[in-house]
Amino acid sequence: MGRFANVGVALLRGWVFITGMAGLGSGVSAFLKPESANIVYENIPYSPAFSRMYGTWLLLSTMVRVLFALEPYNGGLFVAVLWTYCVALYHFSLEIFVHRTVPLQPAGQMPLTVASGSIVALVAFAATTRLRRPSSPSSPPPPSSHAGDKKGQ
């Protein structure tokens, strides 16, 4: 069973890393070629400021996702990466179904599919894995158990 769990973790890490790298490409593109945001969004006036904001969101999501791919058992990173997909799902759902600035086909299908599939995979991972809590900088270090320690004197 442990062997299959390791394969699942490796697949999840790879998937999150790939989605992070896709965000990196889109984020850099949004800064270098601001009109690239119009590939996804329609019916909105073009704005370089909007493109930079979109690029900033993508780069931030990329950083969180790549960090999670490097350290998947970190509970804090798990929560942060899960939220990146939840926010993306919420945002694109609103843009497609409410504001109608992103067409469902073809531009809107990918973000909805990636975000919802990633959320399901992450929740399944959390249900079958013991995530560790990151230590806070203000917490005291664990007690020392060196052989040279003299206790009871």
Side-chain angles (χ1 to χ4, degrees):
M1 181 68 179
R3 189 172 174 187
F4 293 114
N6 289 339
V7 170
V9 172
L11 288 173
L12 179 65
R13 290 174 73 182
W15 173 253
V16 171
F17 183 80
I18 288 169
T19 63
M21 289 296 101
L24 176 64
S26 297
V28 169
S29 177
F31 279 100
L32 298 179
K33 191 176 174 190
E35 62 275 6
S36 66
N38 287 345
I39 294 171
V40 176
Y41 295 90
E42 292 181 348
N43 306 322
I44 60 171
Y46 168 73
S47 163
F50 170 77
S51 187
R52 289 189 301 270
M53 182 186 65
Y54 183 61
T56 301
W57 156 253
L58 289 168
L59 293 176
L60 180 61
S61 294
T62 292
M63 287 186 274
V64 172
R65 292 172 185 175
V66 168
L67 286 172
F68 175 79
L70 295 173
E71 195 171 336
Y73 297 103
N74 184 315
L77 284 175
F78 171 82
V79 171
V81 80
L82 181 63
W83 272 109
T84 68
Y85 291 112
C86 290
V87 169
L89 181 62
Y90 177 74
H91 169 73
F92 281 104
S93 295
L94 284 178
E95 295 301 319
I96 292 167
F97 301 113
V98 177
H99 304 297
R100 303 210 185 277
T101 57
V102 176
L104 182 57
Q105 295 193 11
Q109 289 177 338
M110 187 60 73
L112 291 179
T113 304
V114 168
S116 58
S118 298
I119 291 168
V120 168
L122 286 164
V123 169
F125 172 72
T128 60
T129 306
R130 184 181 187 119
L131 298 172
R132 61 181 168 71
R133 294 181 64 190
S135 59
S136 69
S138 61
S139 63
S144 177
S145 61
H146 292 104
D149 289 348
K150 297 180 181 179
K151 296 190 182 199
Q153 288 186 349

